[in-house]
């Protein structure tokens, strides 16, 4: 039989899953439920809402307020779930033996549920180091929601001494990850009848030249100093979306495409953009503008999440290894909010329940045994914070 904290975590997870917090939707109903729960347990909290109030991050502190503590960080949003692809309703928690099915169970409402289930225990302890709760929104769309909350750390909100980000790592301690940077390129040419091609500037053809340069850079990244802890062991650069053209007999006047890099610590990401800007200005635009002076190429960064690498002597990594009862750290190729905390001067580490292989899938699930391991980790954190 599961112990009372596991039972509580499953009950909380059932409530959290029932809120459809797909990133394009509001998370305020879920946040209101957490607010009510924290209030019941006498925990003070603050919100960091969006300008329109449709979404909010939540920050709470348990323990003394005159010193920095350990932050437990997670996101409330989930990726879309197509009901037809699921065996059961993705927003109704379903149990099958040791597995709990539902959107966000692994990524990462299972971790949120464990943190919340431990609130009564954190409150019961005589903590000498506070425990902070930091729940964000819109992580899945580029770690958007955590940024305004980080901006308030050290002013309106206390700045933690360190943060544990609970992304699904199967409770392994992760001290490094890649970081996505995404760009959009928009080419403006000139339309013409396809039989009079010399009168137009083919935006798709220009896009193809730029894509060739991107593929050239991608090949070069394979020679970046490898880190075998990552899979693949080097940065990657990929074309991801494209839109252009209106008809088969019209020279396309516009084309928009997106591409992104999965960066690693030490990669000069800005150099990639500089190379493309130079290529556009020197190799593409002169010929385009001889036909159409209004021709243009816009290269715009649309999102950046920094790669993450904890300091080699990081106290929070040492603590996380102790709490997880492990000796070695790991690295992952997906991104988390840890890099943003680290860039803001808050040492970070990643450790959370669930298998990343289940994240973003139909019939997403988390094992109850993973919740048990996370609760044990958090219980040992309470022991440490009480000492």
């Amino acid at each position: 039989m599961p112990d009372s904290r596991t039972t509580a975590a499953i009950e909380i997870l059932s409530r959290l899953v029932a809120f459809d917090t797909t990133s394009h939707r509001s998370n305020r109903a879920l946040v209101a439920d957490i607010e009510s729960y924290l209030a019941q347990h006498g925990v003070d909290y603050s919100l960091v809402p969006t300008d329109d109030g449709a979404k909010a991050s939540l920050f709470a502190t348990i323990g003394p307020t005159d010193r920095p503590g350990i932050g437990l960080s997670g996101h409330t949003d989930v990726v879309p779930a197509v009901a037809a692809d699921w065996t059961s309703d993705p927003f109704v928690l379903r149990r099958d033996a040791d597995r709990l099915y539902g959107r966000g169970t692994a990524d990462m409402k299972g971790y949120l549920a464990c943190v919340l289930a431990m609130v009564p225990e954190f409150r019961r302890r005589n903590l000498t180091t506070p425990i902070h709760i930091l729940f964000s929104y819109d992580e899945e769309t580029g770690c958007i929601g955590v940024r305004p909350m980080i901006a308030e750390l050290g002013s309106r909100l206390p700045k933690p001494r360190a943060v544990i980000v609970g992304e699904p790592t199967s409770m392994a301690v992760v001290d490094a990850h890649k970081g996505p940077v995404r760009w959009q390129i928009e080419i403006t040419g000139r339309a013409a009848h396809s039989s009079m091609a010399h009168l137009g500037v083919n935006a798709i053809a220009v896009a193809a030249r730029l894509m060739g340069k991107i593929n050239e850079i991608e090949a070069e990244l394979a020679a970046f100093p490898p880190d075998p802890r990552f899979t693949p062991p080097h940065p990657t650069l990929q074309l991801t979306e494209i839109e252009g053209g209106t008809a088969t007999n019209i020279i396309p006047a516009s084309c928009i495409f997106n591409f992104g890099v999965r960066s690693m610590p030490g990669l000069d990401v800005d150099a990639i953009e500089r190379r493309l800007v130079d290529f556009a200005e020197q190799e593409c635009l002169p010929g385009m503008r001889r036909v159409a002076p209004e021709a243009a190429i816009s290269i715009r960064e649309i999102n950046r999440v920094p790669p993450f690498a904890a300091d080699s002597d990081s106290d929070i990594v040492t603590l996380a290894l102790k709490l997880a009862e492990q000796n070695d750290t790991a690295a992952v190729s997906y991104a988390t909010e840890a890099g943003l905390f680290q860039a803001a001067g808050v040492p970070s580490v990643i450790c959370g329940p669930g298998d990343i292989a289940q994240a973003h899938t139909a019939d997403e699930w988390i094992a109850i045994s993973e919740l048990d391991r996370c609760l044990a980790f958090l219980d040992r954190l309470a022991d440490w914070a009480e000492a």
Side-chain angles (χ1 to χ4, degrees):
M1 292 290 291
D3 69 21
S4 59
R5 286 200 293 255
T6 302
T7 300
I10 294 172
E11 291 174 351
I12 293 169
L13 181 57
S14 179
R15 292 206 313 272
L16 297 180
V17 167
F19 294 105
D20 180 355
T21 53
T22 306
S23 299
H24 67 274
R25 297 180 179 273
S26 172
N27 73 336
R28 290 305 293 267
L30 178 147
V31 170
D33 185 83
I34 295 174
E35 290 179 77
S36 176
Y37 177 83
L38 294 176
Q40 290 171 21
H41 292 283
V43 176
D44 293 331
Y45 58 86
S46 297
L47 300 184
V48 184
T50 55
D51 291 341
D52 62 3
K55 300 182 182 183
S57 294
L58 180 145
F59 186 103
T61 298
I62 303 172
T65 59
D66 61 345
R67 67 203 70 174
I70 302 298
L72 302 176
S73 173
H75 62 82
T76 62
D77 62 314
V78 297
V79 297
V82 179
D85 296 336
W86 284 63
T87 304
S88 57
D89 188 332
F91 298 105
V92 175
L93 192 70
R94 174 173 65 89
R95 179 171 180 172
D96 185 355
D98 185 51
R99 295 182 178 182
L100 300 170
Y101 291 85
R103 175 54 87 218
T105 48
D107 186 18
M108 57 183 299
K109 290 180 176 179
Y111 177 72
L112 306 188
C114 287
V115 171
L116 293 172
M118 285 295 296
V119 165
E121 180 67 12
F122 292 154
R123 286 279 291 158
R124 187 185 70 80
R125 300 295 192 98
N126 183 28
L127 301 180
T128 58
T129 298
I131 293 174
H132 307 294
I133 296 172
L134 302 88
F135 290 168
S136 67
Y137 61 88
D138 286 1
E139 187 272 349
E140 297 290 3
T141 56
C143 296
I144 304 299
V146 76
R147 299 174 197 248
M149 181 163 55
I150 288 175
E152 297 203 30
L153 298 180
S155 55
R156 186 171 75 90
L157 303 175
K159 185 176 183 178
R161 59 188 280 184
V163 163
I164 300 169
V165 178
E167 289 280 358
T169 67
S170 300
M171 294 307 296
V173 177
V174 169
D175 64 352
H177 68 60
K178 293 184 179 181
V181 184
R182 300 182 177 96
W183 292 268
Q184 183 172 88
I185 297 185
E186 182 173 3
I187 300 101
T188 302
R190 178 184 284 179
H193 194 284
S194 60
S195 67
M196 302 294 286
H198 64 289
L199 300 179
V201 173
N202 191 316
I204 292 178
V206 175
R209 295 187 66 191
L210 288 161
M211 290 179 189
K213 177 58 67 172
I214 290 170
N215 288 334
E216 178 185 310
I217 297 171
E218 158 68 6
E220 293 173 7
L221 291 179
F224 189 82
D227 184 338
R229 298 200 306 156
F230 290 109
T231 304
H234 54 79
T236 56
L237 188 62
Q238 293 295 310
L239 297 158
T240 55
E241 297 173 282
I242 185 169
E243 178 181 347
T246 54
T248 57
N249 62 348
I250 299 175
I251 300 298
S254 66
C255 183
I256 297 174
F257 70 93
N258 294 347
F259 71 99
V261 65
R262 290 282 171 166
S263 178
M264 285 168 49
L267 178 67
D268 185 355
V269 171
D270 294 326
I272 295 172
E273 181 174 324
R274 290 195 299 270
R275 285 184 63 181
L276 288 171
V277 169
D278 289 346
F279 181 79
E281 291 179 347
Q282 298 170 19
E283 303 295 331
C284 300
L285 282 170
M288 296 168 66
R289 286 175 173 164
R290 279 195 292 270
V291 177
E294 73 277 14
I297 299 174
S298 167
I299 301 176
R300 179 173 65 93
E301 182 182 306
I302 55 178
N303 186 257
R304 180 185 297 223
V305 178
F308 167 65
D311 295 336
S312 58
D313 59 350
S314 171
D315 290 342
I316 189 59
V317 173
T318 301
L319 175 61
L321 286 169
K322 176 182 177 181
L323 300 179
E325 299 182 327
Q326 296 171 19
N327 296 318
D328 300 310
T329 59
V332 294
S333 294
Y334 57 86
T336 78
E337 296 169 338
L340 291 165
F341 283 111
Q342 188 91 354
V346 182
S348 302
V349 71
I350 307 150
C351 185
D355 189 337
I356 192 63
Q358 299 305 318
H360 302 189
T361 63
D363 289 337
E364 178 182 352
W365 58 269
I366 191 170
I368 295 174
S369 58
E370 285 289 295
L371 301 183
D372 290 336
R373 294 176 66 200
C374 184
L375 290 166
F377 177 100
L378 295 172
D379 193 57
R380 289 189 284 269
L381 173 63
D383 291 340
W384 175 87
E386 193 177 32

